[in-house]
Structures are given as structure tokens and as C-alpha cells.
Amino acid sequence: ITFVYKLNKDAFRNGLSGFSILWGQLLSVTTFTLTFFLNQSYALWRNCYGYSRRLQGRLNDLNMTLASHAKRVEVTSTNNKSDVDNNVNGNVNGSVNGSLNGSVNGSVNGNVNDDGSLGSHQFSTYTEPAREVLELMARYTRVFNLLTYASFTGSHRPLLTPQGMRRMVDRGIITESERTILSEVQLPVTQRHNTLLLWMMRLFEDARKAGHIDGSSGFEQQFLEKCHVIRAQYGAIGDELQGRMPLAYAHIVQVLVDVILWMYPFMAFSSGMTPFLAVLGTGLLTMFYQGLFNLAKQFLDPYDNESYGKGEDPLCIDTLIAESNAGSVRWMNGLASTPYSVEKLRQGNMLQYQLPLRGWTIEQTTERIQEEMIVNTKKEAEEAERIRVEETERKLAEEATLVKPPTFLEIEITEDVEELMRGDDDDVCLTLDDENLTMEEALEKMEECTEKVP
């Protein structure tokens, strides 16, 4: 166009006289139409983003509500040591497997004293059946979220294939029995997430009837209402994608943009613009108008199913799934232990948990630290004395077991000894007290009697 314009400027200008007025009117229509088209496209993108976030939020609501109503083991100070060992098991370390492979420390922190009572820290934790229910619900939540996005996004659609289902079994996302049920269920492939939602509702009902979940009929109604909202949210995402924009509307906008861009050089030369400014203006106008139109088309594909944006800046499904996976165990972990004693709550003895409104001053904090150090020192001294006494008693007991009983000398009693003991011997030894004997005779008889003794 520039070359033709340079050959005959006057004829070119005369032939295009008034063309700028036509182009200006067409530019106004195109600008308004393109702006409205871009606004509607962004509204679709924003709606899909809002539905995804609300779906994520309602899933978190389910797990949060169940965690707060799960059955718990309440530790009381009257429990003896065997009860503590059987019910609390000291420190209960429960691990939760999932996408995060995180662990839950549902520990009851507290030292067991000699009398079987717990220390000052008395926490409650989930019962083992209630914990298993929460873990299963968390896993169903993760699988449901994954299959939901796989149903209306191309990036995760391979998970719905038989190979994808078997791969999820290999990676520990679902069990073999669950894969079999999902594969044989009489539903379209893209509707398998509905089965997971029904499993979650049924699991809640069965756990509540079994006594692992507390709550009345009002709680049940609230939980089921959350499930209905979840169904509405992921259904709205599919509705938005199916009715996002009529093809004729997008086509007429494309035609208008192309026409004003092709007509701009003629308008520029008809109005006396220099060739340099005409070329520069054509490039700028093309960049902005065509860029706005491409941006609108990218908004019409929020999950990058048709590669309008070629993978640039869509709603990141992996991020949404990862955040939902983290939320599936967040609430269960958060309520693994409670900082207050339910027994003291029932007794109305909650002064231990009351703190000053404005906190403690520095001086008060220092005094408290010193008092705690004194108390700890006394406890350590008492514990050391107790250990010393126990060690002394243990050593004394060991020494008592090592002392041998006294042995007695066994003497064989012969007939002569028996006769001597009975006094049956009639010889001269019995006359030692004879007063008529002389000293020499008495000594001789004493020697004779001594020889007779064995």
C-alpha cells in the first residue's frame, strides 16, 4: 500500500476521501464489541475460578466438621495406670497416608505418676475407630477432587482410562476393590466422581450410627447440605464450560478486528499521514486489538483444554488438587489433641486455663520463671531421693537372698553315750563323790572315769 501511495499520492488521496470517517465509525463498533467480549470472557474465567475455590472450601468444611465431632478418648485424673496404658497407650502416634504422606501426632502428653494419675498436661485424642473414619474420609475427599477435575479438564482426563485407574491403584490412591467398582458402575466415565460423593455420604451415615461420630440429626442435616452444595459447585463448572460463548459471537468479533486492522493503512494515507507513522500505527493497533482478542479467547478456556493460551497462565489444576489434598488432613491434624481437660470442664474448674487480659509484666514473668525453677528443683530432688531409696531397698533385698542359712553339726549317738546319758553305768565313776577316799585315790578314779568317756 505504501508503494502504491508513493506512485500517485494525489489520486490515492482523492480516491479515499472521507475514508477516515468510515474507519472511525467502524473502529467504535469494533472497540465496543471487543471490550464487551473480553468482559464476558473474563467473567467466565472468574466464575470457574470461584466455583473451584468454593468446591475446595466445601470439601474442607466436611473434614473440619467431622474432625470436631469425632469420638475422643478423654483422659481423667482418676484413671489408674492400666487404664491409661489401655485407653491412651502413653503417647499415641498415628500416621495418616495420603497424597501428602503426612503424619498425625495424636499424642496424649503427660507423665504417669506412681499412683497412676497423669501429670498436669492432660489431653484427649481420637479413638482409633474415629481416627480411621477420618482418614478414610480424607482419602475419599482426595480421590473425589481428583476425579472431578479429570472429568472436565484435558490435562487429567487420562486418569479416567483403564490404564489410569490401574495406575492410581499402583500409587496407593485407590484400592483394587474401589477400582473395580468405579470401572463397573453404570455411569459415564466422566461421572465417576459422583460415586465418590455418595461413598462419602454413606460413610458419614454408617460412622454416625456406629457411634464413631457424635452429633444429632441437625448435624446430619448440615453435613448432607454441604454435600449438596458440593454437587452444585462442580455441576456449575461443567455448565459454564459447556455454555461459555456462542461461536457466532466470537466469529463476528474476529471479523471486526481483522477488518479495522486491514483498513488502517488506507485510512492513514487518506488522512495525510507519513508512511513511517502509517507502518508504526498499523503495528501498534494490530498488537493491542489482536492481543485483546487473544486474551479474551484465553479467558474462554480457563482450564486450557483447547490450548488457546498454549499452556500460558491457565488455572493450575495441580495447584488446586494439591491444596485440597492438604486440606483433607489439615483439620484432623489440628484437633489431634485438645489443650484443656474435659473433666475439669465438667467440674467447672477452669481457672488453670485463665490468663491475664493483658498478659504478665516482665517482673511477673521473671517471678514465675523462678518459681517454676524452684518447683522443678524440688521435684528433681524428690525424684532423686526416691530413686536412691528404691536402689537401697533393692540392694538390701539382693543381699538378703545371698545370706546362707546356718548349718548344724550332726553327732552320732552310740550305745555307750546312751548308757552314759541314761546313767546305766555301774562302775566306779559313780562313786567320785565318796568322802572316804584319799586325794590320790580320788585322782586315780577321775582319770579312770575320763578314759571311759568316748
Side-chain angles (χ1 to χ4, degrees):
I1 297 174
T2 302
F3 180 73
V4 174
Y5 173 73
K6 288 183 178 181
L7 291 179
N8 194 347
K9 296 182 181 180
D10 295 334
F12 196 87
R13 288 180 180 177
N14 294 332
L16 296 176
S17 179
F19 186 82
S20 60
I21 299 175
L22 175 62
W23 186 87
Q25 294 175 348
L26 187 61
L27 179 64
S28 301
V29 175
T30 304
T31 302
F32 172 79
T33 306
L34 179 60
T35 303
F36 186 76
F37 180 72
L38 178 63
N39 183 55
Q40 293 298 311
S41 300
Y42 178 72
L44 175 101
W45 183 93
R46 193 69 190 179
N47 288 339
C48 290
Y49 177 77
Y51 291 139
S52 297
R53 286 302 185 185
R54 284 192 287 272
L55 174 63
Q56 178 181 334
R58 300 298 78 74
L59 292 175
N60 286 335
D61 289 346
L62 293 185
N63 291 283
M64 180 182 67
T65 306
L66 284 182
S68 64
H69 287 76
K71 199 73 174 179
R72 305 183 70 84
V73 175
E74 303 296 345
V75 182
T76 60
S77 58
T78 58
N79 287 341
N80 56 36
K81 191 171 182 178
S82 61
D83 294 335
V84 174
D85 292 337
N86 295 331
N87 296 333
V88 184
N89 294 324
N91 292 325
V92 182
N93 295 322
S95 60
V96 178
N97 296 323
S99 301
L100 302 179
N101 292 325
S103 63
V104 177
N105 293 323
S107 60
V108 179
N109 298 323
N111 297 325
V112 180
N113 300 327
D114 294 336
D115 59 354
S117 63
L118 293 179
S120 59
H121 300 290
Q122 301 177 6
F123 301 155
S124 66
T125 185
Y126 301 115
T127 62
E128 191 59 29
R131 177 179 294 280
E132 292 175 357
V133 169
L134 295 179
E135 292 174 358
L136 183 58
M137 182 65 72
R139 186 170 67 82
Y140 282 170
T141 301
R142 295 191 293 269
V143 177
F144 165 78
N145 193 53
L146 185 61
L147 295 183
T148 298
Y149 283 110
S151 65
F152 49 75
T153 61
S155 58
H156 291 70
R157 187 63 59 84
L159 292 175
L160 300 178
T161 62
Q163 295 83 354
M165 299 293 290
R166 285 193 294 268
R167 186 59 176 170
M168 286 195 291
V169 174
D170 297 337
R171 294 298 300 272
I173 299 176
I174 59 176
T175 63
E176 180 62 29
S177 59
E178 292 168 352
R179 185 200 68 83
T180 302
I181 295 175
L182 290 174
S183 300
E184 296 178 356
V185 67
Q186 299 299 317
L187 287 175
V189 176
T190 56
Q191 298 296 322
R192 288 175 177 172
H193 53 281
N194 294 319
T195 303
L196 265 300
L197 182 60
L198 293 174
W199 287 356
M200 294 163 61
M201 299 171 69
R202 190 68 249 178
L203 175 62
F204 166 75
E205 291 286 347
D206 295 338
R208 183 172 170 271
K209 292 179 180 178
H212 304 316
I213 301 295
D214 297 331
S216 60
S217 57
F219 170 63
E220 176 184 0
Q221 181 180 0
Q222 183 184 19
F223 185 90
L224 297 179
E225 180 64 24
K226 295 292 184 182
C227 294
H228 296 161
V229 175
I230 289 174
R231 187 216 59 79
Q233 295 301 318
Y234 70 73
I237 295 177
D239 295 340
E240 288 285 344
L241 294 178
Q242 293 176 0
R244 51 187 176 176
M245 188 72 67
L247 179 61
Y249 189 10
H251 186 256
I252 191 61
V253 174
Q254 180 69 72
V255 171
L256 288 173
V257 171
D258 291 342
V259 168
I260 64 166
L261 293 179
W262 277 104
M263 292 174 62
Y264 178 78
F266 296 98
M267 185 277 303
F269 291 126
S270 66
S271 60
M273 190 178 298
T274 62
F276 175 77
L277 291 178
V279 173
L280 180 61
T282 302
L284 291 175
L285 206 64
T286 301
M287 180 178 65
F288 287 113
Y289 272 77
Q290 192 63 43
L292 287 174
F293 185 65
N294 291 336
L295 178 61
K297 290 192 293 184
Q298 186 174 344
F299 284 150
L300 286 176
D301 186 24
Y303 299 108
D304 198 30
N305 292 331
E306 300 176 6
S307 298
Y308 274 144
K310 299 180 179 179
E312 298 178 358
D313 197 28
L315 291 177
C316 188
I317 304 301
D318 293 334
T319 301
L320 295 173
I321 293 175
E323 290 176 352
S324 297
N325 290 346
S328 64
V329 295
R330 179 188 304 136
W331 313 107
M332 178 173 58
N333 296 352
L335 200 59
S337 300
T338 55
Y340 58 86
S341 172
V342 178
E343 181 186 12
K344 293 183 178 180
L345 179 62
R346 295 193 183 104
Q347 297 173 354
N349 183 17
M350 301 295 289
L351 294 178
Q352 177 183 352
Y353 310 104
Q354 303 300 322
L355 297 177
L357 180 61
R358 298 185 178 180
W360 283 296
T361 62
I362 298 177
E363 293 77 9
Q364 291 174 338
T365 302
T366 304
E367 291 177 359
R368 291 180 62 253
I369 293 176
Q370 292 177 353
E371 291 176 357
E372 290 179 359
M373 292 176 62
I374 294 174
V375 172
N376 292 334
T377 303
K378 290 182 179 179
K379 288 183 179 179
E380 292 176 358
E382 293 175 356
E383 182 67 17
E385 180 65 20
R386 185 184 63 82
I387 294 175
R388 187 187 66 78
V389 172
E390 290 181 353
E391 186 67 20
T392 303
E393 293 177 352
R394 184 183 61 81
K395 290 181 178 181
L396 292 176
E398 291 178 355
E399 291 176 357
T401 57
L402 294 177
V403 175
K404 296 182 179 179
T407 58
F408 298 94
L409 179 62
E410 296 181 359
I411 300 176
E412 183 180 359
I413 300 176
T414 61
E415 294 178 359
D416 296 336
V417 175
E418 288 183 0
E419 292 177 358
L420 181 61
M421 294 173 63
R422 290 196 305 265
D424 295 338
D425 195 356
D426 297 332
D427 55 16
V428 294
C429 292
L430 299 176
T431 62
L432 290 175
D433 56 348
D434 193 355
E435 299 179 354
N436 298 323
L437 295 178
T438 63
M439 181 63 68
E440 294 180 357
E441 291 176 351
L443 292 174
E444 290 178 359
K445 288 187 178 184
M446 288 177 62
E447 291 178 357
E448 291 178 359
C449 291
T450 304
E451 291 178 356
K452 290 181 178 294
V453 178

